[in-house]
Amino acid sequence: YIVDCVSVRQWKVYKTIIKPAFVLNTWNWICLVRVRCVMGSLMGMEWYCFAALGILTAFLSFLMDLSVAKLLRAHQWLYSQLEGHCLLQFLCWTLYPVSLSALSTSFSQSICPFSAGSGVPEVRTILSGVDMPHYLSLTNLFAKYVGLICTLAAGSTVFLGKVGPFVHLSTMVGAYLNQLCTVLRGEKERTEGAMLVVAAAVGVASCFGAPISGVLFSVEVMSSHFALKDYCPCFFAAACGALTFHLLSMWSGEQETLQALFQTSFSDDLPFYPLEIPVFAILGLLCGAGSCVYLFCHRWILLFIKTNKILIKVLSTEKALYSAMVVFLLASVTFPLSAGQYMASKLTIKQLLSSLLDSRQWTSQSHNASVVLQPNLCPWSEWIPSGNPYLTLGFFLFMKLWMLVLACTLPLPTGYFMPVFIYGAAIGRLFGEGLAYVSLNGAYLDQDRNPINPGGYALAGAAAFSGAVTHTLSPALLALELTGQSTHAAPILLATLVANALARSGQRPSFYDALSISKKLPHLPSLLKVYPRLSSVPIGKVLGPGGPVLERAAGPAEVQQVLNTCSQTQIPVVDTLGECTHFKN
């Protein structure tokens, strides 16, 4: 009967391929069900997905850092081999980042046009409930990852970071893990909200190995309403990501043990004098004023790009050409044999921050020629080519302000937090060096015990300026986790609070709010910013008529009476019944 129905060849195919494959798939399914039962008996399947999210994101972050470090070393080696040939060095210094930036733009735009930019405003929009599936696609993940490597490999010439894009990358990984978790649990419907909120925290934790500030960043920046049930998953996934990142760094030889990413040598005996507390507050005011200038320039350049007809045409047709032209301008300005020698342009992003956090006073070290002639051993010596650190730091702040604003217009995957963090560290370093110079001349403080630590002011300035730009407090905690310097917790937090107070005055939008407004993304603005008198509006003008109302000072008898006569599950509670006249009517 079988021979009559099918041919002998078909029977052999069934016997040798189809049947064994069917049996194998059956056994695989049975094994999968058993594994799911065993794992589910220990904890919920979503917790395994949270752990996998932290581990995968940390692995991607480590792999990106490794690739970028190799590309940067290749550029430095090529530049050093051309020593003595000024023209060839200039071409090497400029064309290398130009090529990488053009490659990043063309590659990311051809694969997925949504991969350009930070990605943080888009993730905020998704978390607010707007469906944007293209921003969580696999093609966007691949394009943004490769494009971001090329952007970071351009070095401090472009002066951009990876925090924002990596938060976006983490949310894309979280979206796919959420689908896997839904399949493992056998559910038909899936909700991505919790997983995406956790992924935002993991993105920051995997970049710096800082889990606590990553969670605080997710609460402050990413979520307009943070559910308390997401608190433990955020900490769990962020801790898994940070631990994996540190373990991978140990495996690669970058770290000897689990330690802070940027090691400092601040004194623990007397980290700062009590009289310095008001000085840190003054530094916060200075950083807050600087953030207002930066945010104004940022909003202006965004508006200029949207209204200038020439730029609109170029950015719509020739994005790679625009990136190449802007990066060539930035690279030409930072050429080490010209103005770049007064901007420490040879240092990478990590070296810039490490040198600015140095606890030694550059004013006293600038007269030591043996130290200045060893830039490889002392990266901070790049800041004193002429023996005057004030000139270099001031020139760095002036040039990097407009360069960073201009770099924000590049249509490629890039982040903006780390450059702002370093810019704030330069402000604090200049402030601390000036204070150290005044104290060395006997203006105040007893210098017989411990001198002024300019690195502490650099750390406070980094947290204050970046916190004021983003309207958050998480940079204060990030500064402590990056360096492990808990001794400066109070002055850093004070400077960040003062800077935030000044930056938030006048209801000015933050950096990410300005991006959302420029891109016309749906977002949830602060109600107090939209309507400042909202707190004094009676509830009767907001709620519709009908239903009982309880006064805050109501006694047990009144509460019991309302509960007996009311069939509603929720009852409004007001300060005074006079506020709800319209509501009662």
Side-chain angles (χ1 to χ4, degrees), residues 242-296:
L243 182 61
T244 304
F245 180 79
H246 283 300
L247 290 176
L248 290 173
S249 299
M250 290 175 56
W251 170 76
S252 65
E254 295 182 3
Q255 296 181 0
E256 297 180 358
T257 183
L258 297 179
Q259 58 187 11
L261 192 60
F262 295 92
Q263 289 295 307
T264 55
S265 57
F266 295 173
S267 174
D268 295 331
D269 298 333
L270 187 62
F272 55 88
Y273 293 89
L275 289 177
E276 292 184 72
I277 296 294
V279 181
F280 278 101
I282 296 174
L283 175 61
L285 288 174
L286 183 63
C287 291
S291 69
C292 293
V293 175
Y294 172 75
L295 290 175
F296 172 79

Side-chain angles (χ1 to χ4, degrees), residues 382-563:
E382 291 286 339
W383 292 97
I384 47 177
S386 60
N388 187 355
Y390 308 108
L391 174 63
T392 307
L393 288 169
F395 188 71
F396 176 86
L397 292 173
F398 172 75
M399 296 297 290
K400 286 297 182 180
L401 178 62
W402 66 266
M403 292 172 68
L404 181 56
V405 171
L406 183 61
C408 291
T409 64
L410 294 174
L412 43 74
T414 184
Y416 312 109
F417 177 81
M418 200 61 183
V420 170
F421 195 82
I422 294 175
Y423 191 88
I427 295 177
R429 185 76 202 194
L430 180 60
F431 187 86
E433 287 289 341
L435 185 65
Y437 177 78
V438 173
S439 64
L440 282 175
N441 285 274
Y444 81 104
L445 298 179
D446 182 12
Q447 295 298 311
D448 295 335
R449 292 181 293 173
N450 285 322
I452 295 294
N453 179 14
Y457 287 93
L459 189 60
F465 187 79
S466 56
V469 169
T470 57
H471 289 186
T472 59
L473 297 178
S474 55
L477 189 56
L478 178 62
L480 300 178
E481 287 191 283
L482 279 178
T483 59
Q485 289 296 334
S486 58
T487 55
H488 281 71
I492 288 175
L493 184 59
L494 174 63
T496 307
L497 287 171
V498 173
N500 262 275
L502 182 58
R504 292 170 183 260
S505 62
Q507 307 299 333
R508 286 181 288 267
S510 67
F511 181 86
Y512 295 120
D513 289 337
L515 288 177
S516 298
I517 295 172
S518 175
K519 295 180 178 181
K520 298 182 179 179
L521 294 172
H523 64 289
L524 298 175
S526 173
L527 293 177
L528 290 178
K529 291 182 180 180
V530 177
Y531 192 72
R533 293 179 296 174
L534 181 64
S535 58
S536 61
V537 175
I539 192 174
K541 294 184 178 180
V542 180
L543 298 178
V549 180
L550 272 176
E551 192 175 10
R552 186 181 295 274
E558 298 176 354
V559 174
Q560 187 63 40
Q561 180 182 1
V562 171
L563 292 176

Side-chain angles (χ1 to χ4, degrees), residues 20-289:
F22 176 76
V23 174
L24 181 62
N25 289 335
T26 303
W27 277 106
N28 289 340
W29 178 255
I30 293 174
C31 293
L32 181 62
V33 172
R34 290 180 178 177
V35 170
R36 185 181 67 180
C37 293
V38 173
M39 294 175 65
S41 62
L42 298 176
M43 64 177 70
M45 293 302 301
E46 64 274 9
W47 290 94
Y48 294 101
C49 292
F50 292 147
L53 173 62
I55 295 172
L56 287 175
T57 308
F59 179 77
L60 291 175
S61 177
F62 171 76
L63 185 62
M64 179 178 292
D65 289 344
L66 191 64
S67 304
V68 171
K70 290 184 178 296
L71 290 172
L72 288 174
R73 282 198 297 267
H75 186 207
Q76 293 172 352
W77 175 84
L78 182 59
Y79 180 81
S80 62
Q81 293 299 312
L82 298 175
E83 187 175 358
H85 303 81
C86 183
L87 179 60
L88 293 180
Q89 281 189 312
F90 175 78
L91 294 177
C92 173
W93 184 265
T94 56
L95 295 184
Y96 191 87
V98 165
S99 302
L100 288 173
S101 301
L103 176 62
S104 175
T105 303
S106 58
F107 181 83
S108 58
Q109 292 292 331
S110 60
I111 299 296
C112 182
F114 305 104
S115 60
S118 170
V120 171
E122 290 80 4
V123 175
R124 294 173 66 191
T125 303
I126 294 173
L127 290 176
S128 65
V130 180
D131 189 19
M132 302 174 69
H134 297 294
Y135 286 92
L136 300 178
S137 63
L138 188 61
T139 55
N140 195 3
L141 172 64
F142 177 69
K144 202 176 193 73
Y145 189 80
V146 177
L148 184 58
I149 291 177
C150 296
T151 302
L152 297 177
S156 58
T157 298
V158 187
F159 201 56
L160 294 171
K162 78 168 191 176
V163 178
F166 216 81
V167 170
H168 191 191
L169 289 170
S170 180
T171 56
M172 288 186 271
V173 175
Y176 281 94
L177 285 177
N178 186 72
Q179 296 179 10
L180 177 61
C181 184
T182 304
V183 173
L184 292 177
R185 289 187 297 184
E187 298 178 355
K188 295 183 179 180
E189 297 182 358
R190 58 186 179 93
T191 55
E192 295 180 342
M195 183 63 79
L196 297 186
V197 171
V198 172
V202 171
V204 178
S206 300
C207 283
F208 304 116
I212 303 177
S213 55
V215 176
L216 186 58
F217 174 85
S218 180
V219 174
E220 289 185 303
V221 178
M222 306 308 300
S223 304
S224 57
H225 173 70
F226 190 88
L228 292 179
K229 64 182 180 62
D230 298 332
Y231 218 61
C232 287
C234 280
F235 273 109
F236 176 72
C240 291
L243 182 61
T244 304
F245 180 79
H246 283 300
L247 290 176
L248 290 173
S249 299
M250 290 175 56
W251 170 76
S252 65
E254 295 182 3
Q255 296 181 0
E256 297 180 358
T257 183
L258 297 179
Q259 58 187 11
L261 192 60
F262 295 92
Q263 289 295 307
T264 55
S265 57
F266 295 173
S267 174
D268 295 331
D269 298 333
L270 187 62
F272 55 88
Y273 293 89
L275 289 177
E276 292 184 72
I277 296 294
V279 181
F280 278 101
I282 296 174
L283 175 61
L285 288 174
L286 183 63
C287 291

Side-chain angles (χ1 to χ4, degrees), residues 567-583:
S567 59
Q568 299 179 2
T569 57
Q570 296 180 353
I571 301 173
V573 178
V574 298
D575 291 333
T576 59
L577 292 177
E579 297 179 357
C580 52
T581 305
H582 300 283
F583 180 77

